[in-house]
Amino acid sequence: MPEHHVGFEEFVTPGRDRARARVVHEALRHLADGSGGEVLREMAQEVLSGRMRLHEAVRVGAYSDALTESVETAQAAWERLSPEQREERTAEARRFLAARAEPPAAQG
């Protein structure tokens, strides 16, 4: 029987809207598949299962270290991009978030 996973709503916070919560959820699902290595796979599975909250997970030393290394790698890759490539990636990210935003509620 597959393990129950929390929905994206778990990641909606005062500083994170529903679209960004969906992105966090998708990223965790991706990490849970092993794309970020064993440590981040474990962390993502713990969070998605509901056994650990995301804010708790980032305080665990091994998880924090793995996340820091991943962010540093991404930052280095970003810095190697040309300004034009950065603009292109930024526009892609905005489109990505917009596609995950819920349509506005019908007014009536």
Side-chain angles (χ1 to χ4, degrees):
M1 177 182 220
E3 186 173 25
H4 168 74
H5 282 175
V6 297
F8 79 89
E9 299 86 0
E10 176 74 17
F11 306 106
V12 176
T13 65
R16 186 181 306 123
D17 62 21
R18 294 175 73 79
R20 285 177 178 79
R22 281 189 181 94
V23 171
V24 169
H25 189 253
E26 288 176 25
L28 285 167
R29 287 178 39 209
H30 188 67
L31 289 172
D33 289 339
S35 67
E38 183 62 26
V39 174
L40 293 181
R41 181 192 64 76
E42 178 183 301
M43 181 211 64
Q45 289 175 342
E46 289 294 306
V47 173
L48 287 172
S49 71
R51 290 186 296 267
M52 181 178 282
R53 306 270 309 196
L54 184 57
H55 71 273
E56 296 168 329
V58 299
R59 291 189 176 105
V60 172
Y63 299 160
S64 177
D65 291 347
L67 285 167
T68 298
E69 183 179 325
S70 182
V71 168
E72 287 173 350
T73 299
Q75 180 65 32
W78 178 260
E79 290 173 359
R80 287 190 299 271
L81 296 175
S82 69
E84 295 79 18
Q85 290 171 314
R86 289 181 190 179
E87 285 181 33
E88 184 178 311
R89 299 298 192 298
T90 299
E92 287 174 19
R94 287 188 176 121
R95 287 190 299 273
F96 182 82
L97 287 172
R100 279 144 184 82
E102 292 183 336
Q107 296 184 8

